[in-house]
Amino acid sequence: MHLAPSAKGHAPFGEYRTWFRVTGDLGSGRPALVVVHGGPGSTHDYLLNLTALAEDGVPVVHYDQIGNGGSTHLPDRGADFWTPRLFLDELDNLLAHLGVADNYVLFGQSWGGMLAVRHAARRPAGLRGLVVANSPASYPLWLREMKVLRDRLPEGVDETLRRHEAAGTTDSEEYFEAMRPFYERHVCRLKPWPRDFMASFMEVYNDPTVYSTMNGPSEFHVIGTLRDWSVVEHCADVAVPTLVLTGGHDEATPVTVRPFLDLIPDVRWEILEESSHMPHLEEPERFLEVLRGYLAGLPHQDS
């Protein structure tokens, strides 16, 4: 069960709107944990169990990035519109709208982790900490590792995937079915998939505009505008205590997170060995234990 929200609403963002959900008291004096979901083009739903942290007095903010979920959908916008800068500006706007820009921690998952690193590298004065969960430091590294993982799939699966990728028929039922062995090994190992995860999965399926434009047809076939995007060059500028989280079977392999560990000055790494890309769902107790320990160790806000 998730804790009930204390507030829901929309933050005006230029001519658009960003949907948000707050659990807990933003006026408590505790840094707000702002949850930046993955995708790009996913929704907050699969990360809702982070609301458990509000029981500890930590206010938790979820939001849907523009293009999906409860935020403004723009199915007619092209690749020139959907840029990392758009989502960085949206995050800044949300922090200001909620009045937490002077005291917050970012939790970024997958693509959201890359976005959070890019945000943190600007050294905003109110940022107290950074959690980078299941995120690669660059898409070129990610693509290199996708080949390694695909080569280990059951016989014939990668051949089927490649045939459809070459033919441009990645929207076919056969391609969708051939994706499953990869997703069940490296994205979410729970069977059946949890309802929260399915909710976000179906949101992307129902409006794939952002995901297909920026990422591509699948986790392992990145042919969108992000295929060359990297935050490696920004890691050394991150000036807050940083926790990197990965799963033992994660599609975000150790190779993909190594730049975070080598370049962020104050960083530690936790591997949840029984998980893949969703340790918050796959090992929720251990995940919350690690996250609570990290949050408790953050320096207090200057008086």
Side-chain angles (χ1 to χ4, degrees), residues 36-54:
V36 187
H37 67 68
S42 186
T43 60
H44 76 286
D45 303 84
Y46 75 102
L47 292 160
L48 269 173
N49 67 350
L50 271 74
T51 58
L53 295 164

Side-chain angles (χ1 to χ4, degrees), residues 24-45:
D25 180 9
L26 291 180
S28 67
R30 296 285 297 274
L33 184 75
V34 179
V35 181
V36 187
H37 67 68
S42 186
T43 60
H44 76 286
D45 303 84

Side-chain angles (χ1 to χ4, degrees), residues 148-161 177-186:
V148 173
L149 297 179
R150 287 174 61 146
D151 285 347
R152 298 175 185 162
L153 291 173
E155 186 175 355
V157 172
D158 196 40
E159 180 185 355
T160 300
L161 293 170
E177 286 304 313
M179 284 164 47
R180 287 194 71 89
F182 182 95
Y183 278 62
E184 289 170 354
R185 283 188 182 191
H186 301 299

Side-chain angles (χ1 to χ4, degrees), residues 173-215:
E173 186 65 28
E174 188 180 30
Y175 186 83
F176 186 81
E177 286 304 313
M179 284 164 47
R180 287 194 71 89
F182 182 95
Y183 278 62
E184 289 170 354
R185 283 188 182 191
H186 301 299
V187 180
C188 186
R189 295 170 72 84
L190 297 175
K191 292 183 180 180
W193 281 347
R195 190 173 75 175
D196 290 351
F197 179 64
M198 282 304 301
S200 285
F201 191 85
M202 293 313 297
E203 288 273 10
V204 178
Y205 181 81
N206 290 333
D207 187 350
T209 305
V210 182
Y211 187 81
S212 61
T213 300
M214 298 183 76
N215 187 86

